[in-house]
Amino acid sequence: MVIMMQIGIMSVFNLVCTFFLGEGVLNNPVVNALRYIVYAVVLSVFLGFFYKNFVNEGSKYKEDYGKEVGATGITDFIKQCVLLVVLGISMQAFVYGLLNFVYTMMPDSEMLQSYGKLIDNINGSSTIIIFIYTMIFGPIVEELAFRGIIMGYAGRAFDIGWSIVIQAACFGLFHGNMIQGLYAFVLGCILGYVKYISGSMIKTILLHCVVNISGIFVVPVVAVLLSQLMESIAAYVAIAIISGGLLVICYYNRHVLKRGGTYGINQGDK
């Protein structure tokens, strides 16, 4: 549904722009990038409405829109924000360090080279609109589609473990290539678990935003700084080890995100 709507919305956008501004306008990088914003906004509204009214209402793990799930005060709110930021940066850093370590060990791998070109094209974009889409609108669409609708429907037929795996597998396939698909599956499992224990789409969207933002502005800068102090391969190993340790710390502090038993999750669930 998401892919079909993506094709449909972008096709309509192309037709409208071509009709009013001429065929050459589609070669403009700003207009080309603007398609993604239009697609994301329209799809976010549709998916948000669909999730709230058709998926969430019948879910065993229903989200309470009347209050912020799991937060009892400003202190809890700050703890949750800090944990989400640390978790998001750690997730991105672990993937970054691991992939770059593998690339230094296997520089001739065609799969890794094609993935590197894909990332370079994204990071080398000449317009800020692509960055806005990657940091904000993309995470909203993907969280509503995968942790919202797919995980919600899967949860009606399977237990929570299988519903997390199913939506993560769909999330990996959605990225369209082997490298991104593998780590998207792992990230999807973490995002799904956060959705389960917190009961909040807002928290998973914020976490996804932090992952993408740190992949553009935080982790690469840290990698450059570390590579000035040690060999590149050692820097990547250090990033993977440190971020892995932070992920373990976040896991043992997951109670910060947990919702109470009154919000549809059994008291005995951990």
Side-chain angles (χ1 to χ4, degrees), residues 14-33:
N14 290 345
L15 289 173
V16 171
C17 288
T18 301
F19 180 80
F20 287 102
L21 302 175
E23 294 184 2
V25 72
L26 297 179
N27 296 323
N28 187 310
V30 175
V31 174
N32 189 40

Side-chain angles (χ1 to χ4, degrees), residues 27-42:
N27 296 323
N28 187 310
V30 175
V31 174
N32 189 40
L34 191 60
R35 289 187 306 167
Y36 290 90
I37 300 296
V38 173
Y39 140 75
V41 171
V42 174

Side-chain angles (χ1 to χ4, degrees), residues 65-133:
Y65 288 91
K67 61 185 72 175
E68 176 61 21
V69 177
T72 58
I74 187 65
T75 301
D76 283 345
F77 175 75
I78 293 174
K79 288 180 180 179
Q80 290 176 358
C81 289
V82 171
L83 184 62
L84 288 173
V85 169
V86 174
L87 178 58
I89 294 175
S90 302
M91 290 164 64
Q92 181 63 253
F94 184 78
V95 171
Y96 182 92
L98 184 61
L99 282 178
N100 279 278
F101 171 74
V102 173
Y103 183 77
T104 57
M105 303 300 293
M106 303 171 57
D108 297 328
S109 171
E110 293 184 5
M111 185 182 300
L112 290 172
Q113 288 179 356
S114 62
Y115 170 75
K117 291 179 181 179
L118 174 66
I119 298 301
D120 289 340
N121 289 336
I122 296 175
N123 293 336
S125 174
S126 59
T127 172
I128 194 174
I129 298 177
I130 288 294
F131 288 112
I132 294 175
Y133 171 82

Side-chain angles (χ1 to χ4, degrees), residues 158-176:
F158 306 97
D159 62 24
I160 189 61
W162 278 110
S163 64
I164 289 175
V165 170
I166 289 169
Q167 61 80 25
C170 293
F171 185 53
L173 290 171
F174 180 74
H175 283 76

